[in-house]
Amino acid sequence: ALAFGHDGPVPSPTYGLVHTYASLRGPWLHADLYRIQHRDELDALDLFTDDQAVVLIEWAERFADEMPTQVWRVNLAHHDQGRLVSISAPPG
């Protein structure tokens, strides 16, 4: 959020499903797919209609086949007393 010029809180959108933020670099969306059950619900969120927006998605693995191919993946996993973070860039 700080990289996009947002210095306020960024709560998980668990119940609102998608929070939209404005920044100097353009819009960015923060989505949580945990409660989404079907593809039509995912489509209704319109996450990928603005090709200028950055979309950050929690629980994206629930709809891995529906995600764009050019994505950065950030995985957070519990490890010992902390978290293990892995980041993978899109191919090419």
Side-chain angles (χ1 to χ4, degrees):
L2 287 173
F4 292 102
H6 182 80
D7 63 355
V10 180
S12 179
T14 302
Y15 296 103
L17 301 180
V18 179
H19 293 168
T20 302
Y21 300 88
S23 77
L24 298 176
R25 297 181 181 185
W28 61 280
L29 292 77
H30 180 197
D32 187 328
L33 304 185
Y34 183 76
R35 296 187 315 121
I36 301 297
Q37 297 295 316
H38 303 286
R39 182 171 187 224
D40 58 333
E41 294 174 289
L42 176 66
D43 292 342
L45 296 178
D46 288 329
L47 295 176
F48 309 115
T49 56
D50 182 350
D51 62 354
Q52 299 301 311
V54 171
V55 182
L56 307 170
I57 302 175
E58 297 179 34
W59 295 95
E61 66 273 14
R62 293 177 55 88
F63 291 93
D65 293 340
E66 308 300 327
M67 295 297 119
T69 56
Q70 295 297 313
V71 299
W72 286 77
R73 296 188 186 279
V74 178
N75 187 53
L76 304 173
H78 292 284
H79 182 71
D80 294 329
Q81 298 299 316
R83 291 196 179 176
L84 180 63
V85 178
S86 60
I87 301 172
S88 60

